[in-house]
Amino acid sequence: MTTALVTGTTAGLGAAFARRLARDRHDLVLVARDGDALRRQAAELHDRHGIEATVLVADLATDEGIEAVERRLADPERPVGLLVNNAGFALRGKFLDAPVADELRMLRVHCEAVLRLTTAAAGTMRRRGRGAVINVASVAAFVPRGTYGASKAWVVQFTEGAARDLAGSGVRLMALCPGFVRTEFHERAGLSTDDIPGWMWLDADRVVDAALRDLGRGRSLSIPDARYKTLIGASKLVPRAALGGVSARAGRRYGPKRAGRPSGDAPERPNDSDPL
C-alpha cells in the first residue's frame, strides 16, 4: 500500500484526490492550514475506507510550512509514493489591483513550494527507484492571465522539464491542467462566474480520475477533458489577446476586495478550479 501526500486537501480538487486515493487503499498524509478541518477529513477517510490518514498542518506561504512538508517527504523511514502538489489560490482583479505582497505570496505557493516539495519527494523516490508527483497547474498556463497564469505556466514548464530529466529513474512527474471545476474556488476567491458557459465546467472527481489515468499512461501533461484539449489546440491559432479576454471576464470582481489565501482550507481558496 502506497502513501500519498496531498496539499490543499480539505476542499475542491485536493479533497477529490484524497477521496479517490483513499478508495484505492492508499494511506494519506493530508496537508493544509486548518487543523480542525484536516482532523475531520482524516477521521472520515479512515472510517469510510479503513486507511491510515495523518494530518500535517502547514502554511505553504511560509518557509516554516514548506520546510515541515519537505521533512515529511524526505523521511526514508516513511516513504511517500505519490505527491500531489495541489495547494494554491487566486487573486481578484487585474494587474495592480492586488498588493504586490499578495502576488509574491502566490508565487511562493504556486512556484517555490512546488519546486521545493517536488525536489524533496523526487530525490527520495529516485533512491527507491519508484514514485510519482502530480503538480496541479491550469489551462490558464496557456493564456495570458497575469501572475496566476504565469505561475501555472511555470509549473507546466518545470514539471515537463523535470520529467524528462528523470526519465528512466522510475520517478514519474506530471502537470495537471484542469479548466473550470465545479467547487467553491471561485466563490471563495470572490470571482464571478456569470459569464462562464455551462459546457466549460468540469466535475472534480472526473478530473481526478482522468489525471490518474494519464499518470498511469506515463504522460507528463494532462489536460483532462476533450473540450479543453480542443480549446488549447485552438489557442495556437486564435490571437492570445482574444483568449485573454475570456480569462479577464472570469476574473471580474464583485463585492468588497479580498486577497486570495492559500492552501485549501475553508473559508480559504484551494487550487481546485481555475479562473482561466
Short mmCIF file of all heavy atoms in Angstrom, two decimals, residues 213-262:
data_model
loop_
_atom_site.label_atom_id
_atom_site.label_comp_id
_atom_site.label_asym_id
_atom_site.label_seq_id
_atom_site.Cartn_x
_atom_site.Cartn_y
_atom_site.Cartn_z
N ARG A 213 -5.45 8.36 -14.63
CA ARG A 213 -5.29 7.56 -15.84
C ARG A 213 -4.09 8.03 -16.66
O ARG A 213 -3.27 7.24 -17.13
CB ARG A 213 -6.56 7.62 -16.71
CG ARG A 213 -7.70 6.75 -16.24
CD ARG A 213 -8.73 6.55 -17.33
NE ARG A 213 -9.26 7.81 -17.83
CZ ARG A 213 -10.32 8.44 -17.32
NH1 ARG A 213 -10.94 7.91 -16.27
NH2 ARG A 213 -10.76 9.56 -17.83
N ASP A 214 -3.99 9.36 -16.82
CA ASP A 214 -2.87 9.91 -17.60
C ASP A 214 -1.53 9.63 -16.92
O ASP A 214 -0.53 9.35 -17.58
CB ASP A 214 -3.07 11.41 -17.82
CG ASP A 214 -4.12 11.71 -18.88
OD1 ASP A 214 -4.49 10.79 -19.63
OD2 ASP A 214 -4.56 12.89 -18.94
N LEU A 215 -1.51 9.71 -15.59
CA LEU A 215 -0.28 9.39 -14.87
C LEU A 215 0.12 7.93 -15.13
O LEU A 215 1.30 7.64 -15.37
CB LEU A 215 -0.48 9.63 -13.37
CG LEU A 215 0.75 9.37 -12.49
CD1 LEU A 215 1.85 10.39 -12.77
CD2 LEU A 215 0.36 9.39 -11.01
N GLY A 216 -0.87 7.05 -15.08
CA GLY A 216 -0.60 5.64 -15.33
C GLY A 216 -0.11 5.37 -16.74
O GLY A 216 0.62 4.39 -16.99
N ARG A 217 -0.48 6.23 -17.68
CA ARG A 217 -0.03 6.08 -19.07
C ARG A 217 1.33 6.72 -19.32
O ARG A 217 1.83 6.70 -20.44
CB ARG A 217 -1.06 6.71 -20.00
CG ARG A 217 -2.40 5.98 -20.03
CD ARG A 217 -3.48 6.81 -20.70
NE ARG A 217 -4.76 6.09 -20.74
CZ ARG A 217 -5.93 6.67 -20.95
NH1 ARG A 217 -6.00 7.99 -21.14
NH2 ARG A 217 -7.03 5.94 -20.98
N GLY A 218 1.91 7.30 -18.28
CA GLY A 218 3.22 7.87 -18.41
C GLY A 218 3.26 9.26 -19.01
O GLY A 218 4.33 9.72 -19.44
N ARG A 219 2.15 9.97 -19.02
CA ARG A 219 2.12 11.31 -19.59
C ARG A 219 2.70 12.33 -18.62
O ARG A 219 2.53 12.22 -17.41
CB ARG A 219 0.69 11.69 -19.97
CG ARG A 219 0.13 10.82 -21.09
CD ARG A 219 -1.29 11.16 -21.43
NE ARG A 219 -1.77 10.33 -22.54
CZ ARG A 219 -3.03 10.27 -22.94
NH1 ARG A 219 -3.95 10.99 -22.33
NH2 ARG A 219 -3.37 9.49 -23.95
N SER A 220 3.38 13.33 -19.17
CA SER A 220 3.92 14.41 -18.33
C SER A 220 3.01 15.62 -18.31
O SER A 220 3.25 16.56 -17.54
CB SER A 220 5.31 14.82 -18.82
OG SER A 220 5.26 15.31 -20.15
N LEU A 221 1.97 15.63 -19.14
CA LEU A 221 0.99 16.71 -19.17
C LEU A 221 -0.40 16.11 -19.32
O LEU A 221 -0.63 15.29 -20.21
CB LEU A 221 1.27 17.66 -20.34
CG LEU A 221 0.27 18.81 -20.54
CD1 LEU A 221 0.33 19.79 -19.36
CD2 LEU A 221 0.55 19.55 -21.85
N SER A 222 -1.31 16.51 -18.45
CA SER A 222 -2.69 16.03 -18.50
C SER A 222 -3.65 17.21 -18.61
O SER A 222 -3.66 18.08 -17.73
CB SER A 222 -3.03 15.22 -17.24
OG SER A 222 -4.40 14.85 -17.21
N ILE A 223 -4.39 17.25 -19.71
CA ILE A 223 -5.50 18.21 -19.86
C ILE A 223 -6.76 17.34 -19.86
O ILE A 223 -7.10 16.71 -20.86
CB ILE A 223 -5.37 19.01 -21.17
CG1 ILE A 223 -4.04 19.78 -21.18
CG2 ILE A 223 -6.55 19.99 -21.32
CD1 ILE A 223 -3.73 20.48 -22.48
N PRO A 224 -7.47 17.28 -18.73
CA PRO A 224 -8.42 16.19 -18.50
C PRO A 224 -9.81 16.38 -19.09
O PRO A 224 -10.81 16.13 -18.42
CB PRO A 224 -8.48 16.12 -16.97
CG PRO A 224 -8.25 17.53 -16.54
CD PRO A 224 -7.29 18.11 -17.54
N ASP A 225 -9.90 16.81 -20.32
CA ASP A 225 -11.21 16.88 -20.96
C ASP A 225 -10.99 17.24 -22.43
O ASP A 225 -10.18 18.12 -22.75
CB ASP A 225 -12.09 17.93 -20.29
CG ASP A 225 -13.51 17.92 -20.85
OD1 ASP A 225 -14.33 17.15 -20.34
OD2 ASP A 225 -13.77 18.69 -21.80
N ALA A 226 -11.74 16.57 -23.31
CA ALA A 226 -11.57 16.80 -24.75
C ALA A 226 -11.89 18.24 -25.13
O ALA A 226 -11.28 18.81 -26.04
CB ALA A 226 -12.46 15.84 -25.54
N ARG A 227 -12.84 18.86 -24.42
CA ARG A 227 -13.20 20.24 -24.74
C ARG A 227 -12.03 21.18 -24.51
O ARG A 227 -11.75 22.07 -25.32
CB ARG A 227 -14.40 20.67 -23.88
CG ARG A 227 -15.69 19.95 -24.20
CD ARG A 227 -16.73 20.14 -23.11
NE ARG A 227 -16.35 19.40 -21.90
CZ ARG A 227 -17.10 19.35 -20.80
NH1 ARG A 227 -18.24 20.04 -20.74
NH2 ARG A 227 -16.72 18.66 -19.75
N TYR A 228 -11.33 20.97 -23.42
CA TYR A 228 -10.20 21.84 -23.13
C TYR A 228 -8.99 21.50 -23.99
O TYR A 228 -8.20 22.39 -24.32
CB TYR A 228 -9.85 21.78 -21.64
CG TYR A 228 -10.76 22.66 -20.82
CD1 TYR A 228 -11.86 22.13 -20.15
CD2 TYR A 228 -10.55 24.03 -20.75
CE1 TYR A 228 -12.71 22.95 -19.41
CE2 TYR A 228 -11.38 24.85 -20.02
CZ TYR A 228 -12.46 24.31 -19.36
OH TYR A 228 -13.31 25.12 -18.65
N LYS A 229 -8.84 20.25 -24.37
CA LYS A 229 -7.77 19.91 -25.31
C LYS A 229 -7.98 20.65 -26.63
O LYS A 229 -7.04 21.17 -27.23
CB LYS A 229 -7.73 18.41 -25.53
CG LYS A 229 -7.24 17.63 -24.32
CD LYS A 229 -7.33 16.13 -24.57
CE LYS A 229 -6.90 15.36 -23.32
NZ LYS A 229 -7.07 13.90 -23.47
N THR A 230 -9.25 20.70 -27.06
CA THR A 230 -9.57 21.43 -28.29
C THR A 230 -9.31 22.92 -28.11
O THR A 230 -8.75 23.58 -28.99
CB THR A 230 -11.03 21.19 -28.67
OG1 THR A 230 -11.24 19.79 -28.88
CG2 THR A 230 -11.40 21.95 -29.94
N LEU A 231 -9.70 23.46 -26.96
CA LEU A 231 -9.51 24.88 -26.70
C LEU A 231 -8.04 25.25 -26.70
O LEU A 231 -7.63 26.27 -27.28
CB LEU A 231 -10.15 25.25 -25.35
CG LEU A 231 -10.09 26.72 -24.93
CD1 LEU A 231 -10.88 27.58 -25.91
CD2 LEU A 231 -10.64 26.88 -23.53
N ILE A 232 -7.22 24.41 -26.06
CA ILE A 232 -5.79 24.70 -26.01
C ILE A 232 -5.17 24.56 -27.39
O ILE A 232 -4.29 25.33 -27.78
CB ILE A 232 -5.08 23.77 -25.00
CG1 ILE A 232 -5.60 24.05 -23.59
CG2 ILE A 232 -3.58 23.97 -25.05
CD1 ILE A 232 -5.60 25.50 -23.17
N GLY A 233 -5.66 23.58 -28.16
CA GLY A 233 -5.19 23.48 -29.55
C GLY A 233 -5.53 24.71 -30.35
O GLY A 233 -4.71 25.22 -31.13
N ALA A 234 -6.74 25.24 -30.13
CA ALA A 234 -7.16 26.44 -30.84
C ALA A 234 -6.37 27.65 -30.41
O ALA A 234 -6.23 28.61 -31.17
CB ALA A 234 -8.66 26.68 -30.62
N SER A 235 -5.82 27.61 -29.19
CA SER A 235 -5.07 28.76 -28.70
C SER A 235 -3.84 29.04 -29.55
O SER A 235 -3.30 30.14 -29.55
CB SER A 235 -4.66 28.56 -27.24
OG SER A 235 -3.65 27.57 -27.13
N LYS A 236 -3.39 28.04 -30.28
CA LYS A 236 -2.24 28.22 -31.15
C LYS A 236 -2.62 28.98 -32.43
O LYS A 236 -1.75 29.48 -33.14
CB LYS A 236 -1.64 26.87 -31.51
CG LYS A 236 -1.16 26.10 -30.29
CD LYS A 236 -0.66 24.71 -30.67
CE LYS A 236 -0.24 23.92 -29.43
NZ LYS A 236 0.21 22.55 -29.78
N LEU A 237 -3.94 29.03 -32.69
CA LEU A 237 -4.42 29.69 -33.90
C LEU A 237 -5.11 31.01 -33.61
O LEU A 237 -5.08 31.94 -34.41
CB LEU A 237 -5.39 28.76 -34.65
CG LEU A 237 -4.85 27.37 -35.01
CD1 LEU A 237 -5.97 26.53 -35.61
CD2 LEU A 237 -3.68 27.48 -35.97
N VAL A 238 -5.76 31.09 -32.42
CA VAL A 238 -6.51 32.29 -32.05
C VAL A 238 -5.54 33.29 -31.40
O VAL A 238 -4.67 32.90 -30.63
CB VAL A 238 -7.64 31.94 -31.05
CG1 VAL A 238 -8.37 33.19 -30.58
CG2 VAL A 238 -8.61 30.96 -31.70
N PRO A 239 -5.68 34.58 -31.70
CA PRO A 239 -4.81 35.57 -31.05
C PRO A 239 -4.90 35.46 -29.53
O PRO A 239 -5.98 35.32 -28.95
CB PRO A 239 -5.38 36.91 -31.53
CG PRO A 239 -6.03 36.58 -32.83
CD PRO A 239 -6.59 35.20 -32.68
N ARG A 240 -3.74 35.51 -28.86
CA ARG A 240 -3.70 35.36 -27.41
C ARG A 240 -4.51 36.43 -26.71
O ARG A 240 -5.08 36.21 -25.64
CB ARG A 240 -2.25 35.40 -26.93
CG ARG A 240 -1.47 34.17 -27.31
CD ARG A 240 0.00 34.32 -26.99
NE ARG A 240 0.24 34.50 -25.57
CZ ARG A 240 0.32 33.50 -24.69
NH1 ARG A 240 0.14 32.27 -25.09
NH2 ARG A 240 0.56 33.75 -23.42
N ALA A 241 -4.63 37.60 -27.31
CA ALA A 241 -5.41 38.67 -26.69
C ALA A 241 -6.88 38.29 -26.57
O ALA A 241 -7.56 38.64 -25.61
CB ALA A 241 -5.27 39.96 -27.49
N ALA A 242 -7.38 37.53 -27.56
CA ALA A 242 -8.79 37.11 -27.51
C ALA A 242 -9.03 36.14 -26.37
O ALA A 242 -10.02 36.23 -25.65
CB ALA A 242 -9.19 36.47 -28.85
N LEU A 243 -8.11 35.19 -26.20
CA LEU A 243 -8.24 34.26 -25.09
C LEU A 243 -8.08 34.98 -23.75
O LEU A 243 -8.73 34.65 -22.77
CB LEU A 243 -7.19 33.16 -25.21
CG LEU A 243 -7.40 32.18 -26.37
CD1 LEU A 243 -6.19 31.28 -26.51
CD2 LEU A 243 -8.66 31.36 -26.17
N GLY A 244 -7.22 35.99 -23.74
CA GLY A 244 -7.07 36.77 -22.52
C GLY A 244 -8.35 37.47 -22.14
O GLY A 244 -8.64 37.67 -20.96
N GLY A 245 -9.17 37.85 -23.12
CA GLY A 245 -10.45 38.48 -22.83
C GLY A 245 -11.40 37.54 -22.12
O GLY A 245 -12.10 37.93 -21.19
N VAL A 246 -11.42 36.27 -22.54
CA VAL A 246 -12.24 35.27 -21.85
C VAL A 246 -11.77 35.12 -20.41
O VAL A 246 -12.54 35.09 -19.46
CB VAL A 246 -12.17 33.92 -22.58
CG1 VAL A 246 -12.91 32.85 -21.79
CG2 VAL A 246 -12.75 34.04 -23.98
N SER A 247 -10.46 35.06 -20.25
CA SER A 247 -9.88 34.93 -18.92
C SER A 247 -10.24 36.11 -18.04
O SER A 247 -10.57 35.95 -16.86
CB SER A 247 -8.36 34.80 -19.06
OG SER A 247 -7.75 34.86 -17.81
N ALA A 248 -10.18 37.31 -18.59
CA ALA A 248 -10.44 38.51 -17.79
C ALA A 248 -11.88 38.53 -17.30
O ALA A 248 -12.16 38.94 -16.18
CB ALA A 248 -10.15 39.76 -18.62
N ARG A 249 -12.82 38.08 -18.13
CA ARG A 249 -14.23 38.05 -17.70
C ARG A 249 -14.40 37.10 -16.53
O ARG A 249 -15.20 37.34 -15.63
CB ARG A 249 -15.13 37.64 -18.86
CG ARG A 249 -15.29 38.73 -19.91
CD ARG A 249 -16.47 38.45 -20.82
NE ARG A 249 -16.31 37.21 -21.55
CZ ARG A 249 -15.67 37.10 -22.72
NH1 ARG A 249 -15.08 38.17 -23.25
NH2 ARG A 249 -15.58 35.95 -23.34
N ALA A 250 -13.65 36.00 -16.54
CA ALA A 250 -13.74 35.05 -15.43
C ALA A 250 -13.18 35.64 -14.15
O ALA A 250 -13.54 35.21 -13.06
CB ALA A 250 -12.98 33.76 -15.78
N GLY A 251 -12.32 36.63 -14.24
CA GLY A 251 -11.72 37.22 -13.06
C GLY A 251 -12.39 38.49 -12.62
O GLY A 251 -11.82 39.24 -11.82
N ARG A 252 -13.61 38.80 -13.15
CA ARG A 252 -14.28 40.03 -12.79
C ARG A 252 -14.57 40.09 -11.30
O ARG A 252 -14.98 39.10 -10.70
CB ARG A 252 -15.59 40.13 -13.57
CG ARG A 252 -16.22 41.51 -13.49
CD ARG A 252 -17.50 41.57 -14.32
NE ARG A 252 -18.51 40.69 -13.79
CZ ARG A 252 -19.14 39.78 -14.53
NH1 ARG A 252 -18.84 39.60 -15.78
NH2 ARG A 252 -20.08 39.02 -13.98
N ARG A 253 -14.37 41.22 -10.70
CA ARG A 253 -14.55 41.37 -9.25
C ARG A 253 -16.01 41.65 -8.90
O ARG A 253 -16.74 42.25 -9.69
CB ARG A 253 -13.69 42.51 -8.72
CG ARG A 253 -12.22 42.23 -8.74
CD ARG A 253 -11.46 43.41 -8.23
NE ARG A 253 -11.57 44.54 -9.13
CZ ARG A 253 -11.26 45.77 -8.81
NH1 ARG A 253 -10.87 46.06 -7.61
NH2 ARG A 253 -11.38 46.74 -9.69
N TYR A 254 -16.40 41.24 -7.72
CA TYR A 254 -17.66 41.71 -7.16
C TYR A 254 -17.52 41.74 -5.66
O TYR A 254 -16.76 41.00 -5.08
CB TYR A 254 -18.84 40.82 -7.59
CG TYR A 254 -18.82 39.42 -7.09
CD1 TYR A 254 -19.42 39.08 -5.87
CD2 TYR A 254 -18.20 38.41 -7.83
CE1 TYR A 254 -19.40 37.78 -5.43
CE2 TYR A 254 -18.20 37.10 -7.38
CZ TYR A 254 -18.79 36.79 -6.19
OH TYR A 254 -18.79 35.50 -5.73
N GLY A 255 -18.30 42.63 -5.02
CA GLY A 255 -18.24 42.75 -3.58
C GLY A 255 -16.96 43.42 -3.13
O GLY A 255 -16.15 43.85 -3.94
N PRO A 256 -16.75 43.55 -1.81
CA PRO A 256 -15.55 44.20 -1.30
C PRO A 256 -14.31 43.39 -1.66
O PRO A 256 -14.34 42.17 -1.68
CB PRO A 256 -15.78 44.22 0.22
CG PRO A 256 -16.76 43.14 0.48
CD PRO A 256 -17.63 43.07 -0.74
N LYS A 257 -13.20 44.06 -1.91
CA LYS A 257 -11.99 43.41 -2.37
C LYS A 257 -11.37 42.58 -1.26
O LYS A 257 -11.24 43.01 -0.14
CB LYS A 257 -10.98 44.47 -2.84
CG LYS A 257 -9.71 43.87 -3.37
CD LYS A 257 -8.86 44.94 -4.00
CE LYS A 257 -7.50 44.42 -4.40
NZ LYS A 257 -7.54 43.26 -5.24
N ARG A 258 -10.99 41.35 -1.60
CA ARG A 258 -10.27 40.48 -0.68
C ARG A 258 -9.08 39.91 -1.43
O ARG A 258 -9.16 39.64 -2.62
CB ARG A 258 -11.14 39.29 -0.22
CG ARG A 258 -12.31 39.65 0.62
CD ARG A 258 -12.82 38.39 1.32
NE ARG A 258 -13.05 37.30 0.38
CZ ARG A 258 -14.20 37.08 -0.20
NH1 ARG A 258 -15.22 37.88 -0.01
NH2 ARG A 258 -14.36 36.04 -1.01
N ALA A 259 -8.01 39.66 -0.72
CA ALA A 259 -6.88 38.96 -1.33
C ALA A 259 -7.11 37.46 -1.20
O ALA A 259 -7.72 36.98 -0.25
CB ALA A 259 -5.58 39.34 -0.61
N GLY A 260 -6.61 36.71 -2.18
CA GLY A 260 -6.67 35.27 -2.10
C GLY A 260 -5.78 34.77 -0.98
O GLY A 260 -4.82 35.41 -0.59
N ARG A 261 -6.09 33.59 -0.45
CA ARG A 261 -5.28 32.99 0.60
C ARG A 261 -5.07 31.53 0.25
O ARG A 261 -5.93 30.89 -0.32
CB ARG A 261 -5.97 33.13 1.96
CG ARG A 261 -6.22 34.58 2.33
CD ARG A 261 -7.09 34.69 3.54
NE ARG A 261 -6.43 34.16 4.72
CZ ARG A 261 -7.05 34.07 5.90
NH1 ARG A 261 -8.28 34.44 6.03
NH2 ARG A 261 -6.40 33.58 6.94
N PRO A 262 -3.91 30.98 0.61
CA PRO A 262 -3.54 29.67 0.10
C PRO A 262 -4.00 28.50 0.94
O PRO A 262 -4.41 28.66 2.07
CB PRO A 262 -2.01 29.73 0.12
CG PRO A 262 -1.71 30.61 1.29
CD PRO A 262 -2.82 31.64 1.30
#
